[in-house]
Amino acid sequence: MSDETLKTTPLYEAHVAAGARMVPFAGYSMPVQYKDGVLKEHLWTRENAGLFDVSHMGQARLRGVSPLSAFEEVTPGDFIGLKPGKQRYSVLLNRTGGIIDDLMAARPISFDGTGDDGLFVVVNGACKDNDFKVIDDELAGQVRIERLEDRALMALQGPKAAEVLAAHAPQAAAMVFMDARAFSAFGTDVIVSRSGYTGEDGYEISVPASEALRIWNTLLADERVRPIGLGARDSLRLEAGLPLYGHDVDETVSPVEADLAFAVAKKRREARDFPGAARIARELAEGPSRKRVGLIVLEGAPAREGAQIADEAGNVVGVVTSGGFSPSLGKPIAMGFAPPALADVGTRLKVIVRGKAQAAEVAAMPFVPHRYVRKL
Amino acid sequence: MRFTKDHEWVVLEGDVATIGITAYAADQLGDVVFVETPEPGKAVKAGDNLAVVESVKAASDVYAPISGEVIEGNAALGDAPETVNDQPEGAGWFARIKVADPSEVEALMDRAAYEDFLGTL
């Protein structure tokens, strides 16, 4: 894709002015790193607060007579049971139980308690056009998709995120993990969820595109906050054990294989009323043929996407789907697929990097503990 | 010090060439987290893979700028790969090669030519 066809987010000029290295990502020109570099940005987020531009992601509202029950036709989640003010992680499924995309869906009630504003959905940037088409095709006549292309999205992540945001939006301090609220802050209307994709406490903040630059700069004026690029976003989510769509998960992978069975709600397992339910029920009962595992590489180079996984005898048994150097642990980590018999924590495996078999071990995920604030 | 368009540098002392990557290359790579250096005795031709350098972002090959036989790889990079970022044109060297033909080194760019080349990127 040539640069001319790349889209930009409302924060593009701020990234360039801050010395970011811009790369094509999901059809957008996005910052992969700023002047500090990936390692420092990663550690800053783990210790302070990192600000991420995630405006490439797809934001939409699903409205209709009963958008919650309609959304259950394309996902395995319990959305009828989603309480006002809560957010849920889920997956869009195809008819064979493969994952079309993973997403966050919320009912961001306003603090004044006014009305039900439908379902606020955030999907991956690279998948958004297809996702909304799938939802539109499957739920035609039931829900109306209102794409929020006039809104930017930023994530404020890290142990100091809460105190930083509280200075501008005191309401945010009263929220816990996976709460979603719509309110006025920064002199405009915002939709805030206490969630993210780094494993840290933090927020995702949807703001009008026209206000994004001002809010971005307001947050960065706090010395506890630095801008963080996609490079560190990737290493942070890898350490947090969170799969990246298009790498660890794709249309062939089921939620059970992806170790995302928590996204298949109990009542939905019983009802078997979602796309691909037959396969997913079978995998839940009998176990999947492959499973997403975490690996710590015990020697040698980082094992990256595409590296083969072998058993101790050297037989190829799987493949690395994402991997790299863990800045927090100081050693290479990876995710990949392995047969369930070789998926127990502590199992010794090999990863093949440039023809060399290196020792690796199945590790529990997250590699670095989550620090979500579930209780105040 | 001589330079290649692949951003390697060479310093020739007698018939021994020390090879590394330039400050520009180290900056482009970002934080180096792993380096694989060649074993002594390995024969290389100009353009062959000599070493591998991995940053947080990706793995990159380092090519032999000249032909010869590897005398040593920089073992210190095993424990301190960040030296490549800190001192790319010094302690962050990758390998020493006994050169077959010193004129190969002369044919590489001098610093002024390399900086002109960087200006075109």
Side-chain angles (χ1 to χ4, degrees), chain B residues 6-60:
Chain B
D6 294 318
H7 310 288
E8 288 107 13
W9 57 261
V10 184
V11 168
L12 188 64
E13 289 163 296
D15 62 353
V16 175
T18 304
I19 294 162
I21 65 170
T22 65
Y24 172 85
D27 181 57
Q28 289 291 310
L29 282 170
D31 306 298
V32 171
V33 296
F34 177 83
V35 177
E36 190 176 297
T37 55
E39 296 295 323
K42 182 182 177 183
V44 292
K45 292 202 296 288
D48 285 356
N49 285 349
L50 180 68
V52 177
V53 56
E54 298 232 9
S55 71
V56 177
K57 281 175 280 185
S60 305

Side-chain angles (χ1 to χ4, degrees), chain A residues 102-167:
Chain A
D102 61 347
L103 57 86
M104 289 287 211
R107 298 180 68 186
I109 47 151
S110 52
F111 277 95
D112 61 9
T114 50
D116 188 332
D117 230 356
L119 203 55
F120 173 63
V121 179
V122 179
V123 303
N124 282 302
C127 305
K128 61 185 177 183
D129 292 335
N130 183 55
D131 290 350
F132 293 134
K133 183 178 183 304
V134 167
I135 294 168
D136 198 34
D137 289 349
E138 296 293 326
L139 307 181
Q142 297 185 73
V143 302
R144 193 173 71 256
I145 301 172
E146 193 181 298
R147 288 184 64 163
L148 305 177
E149 291 180 341
D150 57 348
R151 295 190 76 87
L153 189 66
M154 51 190 93
L156 183 66
Q157 300 279 299
K160 295 181 182 171
E163 50 190 87
V164 168
L165 191 57

Side-chain angles (χ1 to χ4, degrees), chain A residues 137-218:
Chain A
D137 289 349
E138 296 293 326
L139 307 181
Q142 297 185 73
V143 302
R144 193 173 71 256
I145 301 172
E146 193 181 298
R147 288 184 64 163
L148 305 177
E149 291 180 341
D150 57 348
R151 295 190 76 87
L153 189 66
M154 51 190 93
L156 183 66
Q157 300 279 299
K160 295 181 182 171
E163 50 190 87
V164 168
L165 191 57
H168 306 280
Q171 303 96 319
M175 299 166 63
V176 296
F177 182 58
M178 300 298 264
D179 274 355
R181 300 281 185 275
F183 51 82
S184 285
F186 303 97
T188 186
D189 72 288
V190 298
I191 306 168
V192 176
S193 63
R194 193 157 189 172
S195 55
Y197 222 59
T198 61
E200 293 297 326
D201 180 31
Y203 300 85
E204 293 198 343
I205 308 162
S206 170
V207 305
S210 57
E211 305 293 328
L213 190 57
R214 182 178 58 78
I215 295 169
W216 177 264
N217 287 329
T218 300

Side-chain angles (χ1 to χ4, degrees), chain A residues 289-375:
Chain A
S289 61
R290 57 179 175 170
K291 198 178 162 210
R292 183 172 64 94
V293 296
L295 295 170
I296 289 179
V297 180
L298 301 170
E299 58 180 2
R304 298 184 190 270
E305 183 173 2
Q308 289 176 320
I309 301 171
D311 63 17
E312 287 210 281
N315 307 300
V316 173
V317 295
V319 65
V320 169
T321 50
S322 55
F325 182 80
S326 161
S328 302
L329 302 178
K331 55 190 166 190
I333 57 173
M335 288 179 199
F337 283 90
L342 295 173
D344 289 338
V345 170
T347 304
R348 294 295 290 257
L349 293 169
K350 303 277 188 188
V351 287
I352 317 291
V353 180
R354 292 185 287 277
K356 277 187 203 158
Q358 301 173 187
E361 187 175 279
V362 177
M365 291 194 287
F367 295 100
V368 172
H370 292 162
R371 295 199 282 182
Y372 305 139
V373 173
R374 296 175 191 276
K375 260 188 254 175

